[in-house]
Amino acid sequence: KDVLNDEQSMEQINYSIGQLPFVKEGKEAFEIVREVKERVQKEQSEKVSLLTMMKWLKDPNVQRGLQFVNTALTILNEKQNN
C-alpha cells in the first residue's frame, strides 16, 4: 500500500514498464498506425491504379508484408482444418 501511495515509486514503476521492449514496440506500432490513418484521411481523393499496385509489388517491404499475410492465412487455414 505504501508503494502505491508513494508518487515517486509509482513514477519509477511507470517509467520501468515503459522501458520494456514490448511496450516500446507497441507504442511505436500505435504511432505508425495513427500516422497512416492521418495520411489516408488527407489523401482520400487520390485513386490507386493497377499500375501503381504493380509498382508496389517490387518494394521489399510490400513483399515482406504479403509473405506475412500469406503465412498467416496458411496457418489459419491449417487450424480450421484440424
Side-chain angles (χ1 to χ4, degrees), residues 1-11 13:
K1 283 186 169 183
D2 290 338
V3 172
L4 295 175
N5 293 328
D6 181 35
E7 188 175 321
Q8 188 177 8
S9 295
M10 291 306 294
E11 286 176 6
I13 291 170

Side-chain angles (χ1 to χ4, degrees), residues 14-77:
N14 190 27
Y15 174 79
S16 297
I17 290 172
Q19 297 304 306
L20 294 171
F22 64 90
V23 173
K24 284 183 174 181
E25 291 171 6
K27 287 178 182 178
E28 289 172 9
F30 178 76
E31 287 298 316
I32 290 171
V33 169
R34 186 187 57 74
E35 185 176 347
V36 168
K37 184 179 175 184
E38 286 176 4
R39 286 190 189 185
V40 166
Q41 288 174 345
K42 288 178 185 176
E43 301 167 2
Q44 252 181 348
S45 61
E46 290 184 29
K47 301 288 183 197
V48 177
S49 70
L50 186 57
L51 183 60
T52 300
M53 290 177 15
M54 295 294 283
K55 289 178 186 177
W56 290 347
L57 289 174
K58 295 178 184 177
D59 186 324
N61 291 318
V62 172
Q63 287 294 317
R64 276 193 301 275
L66 292 172
Q67 289 171 343
F68 182 86
V69 169
N70 186 40
T71 302
L73 291 173
T74 300
I75 291 169
L76 290 171
N77 189 33

